[in-house]
Amino acid sequence: MTRDVEQRRQAETSRNTLEVKRRALELGFDAVGIATLEPSAYADSLDRWLTAGYAGDMAYLDRQAERRKFPARILPDARVAIVTLTNYCHGSPHLAAVPRGSAKVAQYAWSTDYHIVLGRRLERLAGEVREIAPGATTRCYVDAGPVPERELAQRAGLGWVGKNTMLIRPEIGSFTFIGVVLTDASLDTDLPFEADRCGSCRACLEACPTDAFVAPHVLDARRCISYLTIERRGEFTDDERALVGEWLFGCDVCQDVCPWNVKFARPTADTEVDARSELAEPELAAFLDSDAAAFDRRFGDTPFERPGAAGMRRNAAAVLANLQASR
Ligand code: B12
Ligand code: SF4
Ligand code: SF4
């Protein structure tokens, strides 16, 4: 290739990169960066985490491990990951007491299921990529695939992975969804976010109500309320029921106490993630006697669909038992 042709190609790549980022922000993403698909720098930590059994019943993490370690294998010929952040913060009310008859729900679940909302938005972004780089292949991921999303976000320059294992962006904190478009389009990659801004802070590790952190950056999911109320199948053991406390679905404690959220997280203006009252302030009684059909009508397009009617009944019964025990 002559120098001239190479320079023209590089100029086109730079133009396309800027245009993809501009359109991503126009579509409503709060931040966007582009990551390489080189092998994971944390493959050994992932292996150690899985071998220790910290994934509990999330067997899919074992099945996806090879692709998580080698993201280039996820989509043949993919060159880069376009990584997006979407702020879903609604404030930090969990530090206050729970109203009687109600229970705590993690903020990410206060709105219509983000797999639906972000899935649509990422598909629109993928369409823009194909328009900007005709002939490009794209594939969108949000949460559900074999993609090491937090590591890719760090590599795309969007933030660092805190001791609570969350991706934290200095300007907005960690109440963000990560969405990814893999593509074979030629785009310039960003510099990774190298700084670790946790410093000597240990607030998240100390505040976790179940002592789920084995060490900084290492979470034993089996003790995490988020895992227990969302991913755990079947009935709780007595110990698990006690761990759940007042949380009906998910948990925000290790984010609520993080100084980067306390100082910088601001309520989102994104109307597609508006809070719905039946999710943000749920009536516990509604879950105890709801059958599967009624549950689906009311919660079919929400994050509560993952544990389903039976899982939410189990969670509500656990919270009620814990509230009664504490009075
Ligand atoms: C399985 C899973 C869970 C599990 C396990 C969580 C965990 N910490 O491992 C459970 C059910 C507990 C869970 C809970 C939550 N989750 Co979740 N979860 C996932 C999922 C599907 C995979 C994560 C995974 O692979 N875990 C295994 C561990 C070993 O990997 P990892 O946490 O990604 O860490 C890697 C890197 O961070 C890297 N690393 C980077 N820097 C450093 C530094 C050091 C020193 C080390 C050792 C490692 C390291 O090492 C790891 C190996 O690759 C991702 C989506 C995805 N596809 O990635 C969402 C995801 C991580 N979850 C998310 C959310 C929102 C939550 C909750 C906040 C929900 C809630 N409020 O209840 C909680 C947070 C709890 C917490 N502190 O992590 C978001 C996080 C967004 C963000 N800004 O970080 C994601 C990215 C989904 C999304 N698309 O938005 N989750
Ligand atoms: S989500 Fe809650 S239970 Fe899980 S690690 Fe964070 S503080 Fe602990
Ligand atoms: S609470 Fe402190 S240690 Fe934990 S993630 Fe935030 S800054 Fe890091």
Side-chain angles (χ1 to χ4, degrees), residues 40 42-43 45-46 49 58 60-61 68 85 88 106-108 114 142-151 154 161 164-168 174-179 213 216-219 221 224 226-227 230-231 249-252 254-255:
S40 167
Y42 299 101
S45 352
L46 178 61
W49 190 79
M58 296 182 288
Y60 67 91
L61 291 173
R68 269 172 203 277
L85 297 185
Y88 63 80
Q107 296 197 41
Y108 91 89
Y114 72 102
V142 54
D143 187 47
V147 180
E149 294 179 341
R150 305 201 251 216
E151 188 174 353
Q154 181 271 336
V161 176
N164 60 3
T165 78
M166 299 300 294
L167 188 280
I168 307 173
S174 68
F175 291 107
T176 58
F177 298 122
I178 303 177
F213 294 104
H217 300 104
V218 185
L219 175 68
C224 173
S226 183
Y227 166 79
I230 304 170
E231 297 294 326
F249 187 90
C251 168
D252 279 338
C254 57
Q255 296 195 86

Side-chain angles (χ1 to χ4, degrees), residues 12-29 31-34 80-84 122 124-133 136 138 181 183 185-188 190:
E12 188 186 351
T13 299
S14 303
R15 259 196 323 275
N16 288 354
T17 307
L18 285 175
E19 190 54 16
V20 166
K21 289 182 173 178
R22 192 184 67 75
R23 294 200 199 177
L25 297 176
E26 216 170 69
L27 283 168
F29 293 109
V32 57
I34 302 189
V80 295
I82 304 167
V83 190
T84 63
L122 286 168
R124 287 203 286 272
L125 177 59
E128 302 284 357
V129 172
R130 294 192 301 270
E131 192 187 299
I132 293 164
T138 54
V181 180
T183 181
S186 173
L187 297 171
D188 291 328
D190 284 286

Side-chain angles (χ1 to χ4, degrees), residues 160-166 168 196-205 254 257-260:
W160 80 102
V161 176
K163 288 179 192 168
N164 60 3
T165 78
M166 299 300 294
I168 307 173
D196 172 353
R197 304 233 182 132
C198 284
S200 58
C201 175
R202 293 177 54 85
C204 52
L205 311 179
C254 57
V257 299
C258 177
W260 293 91

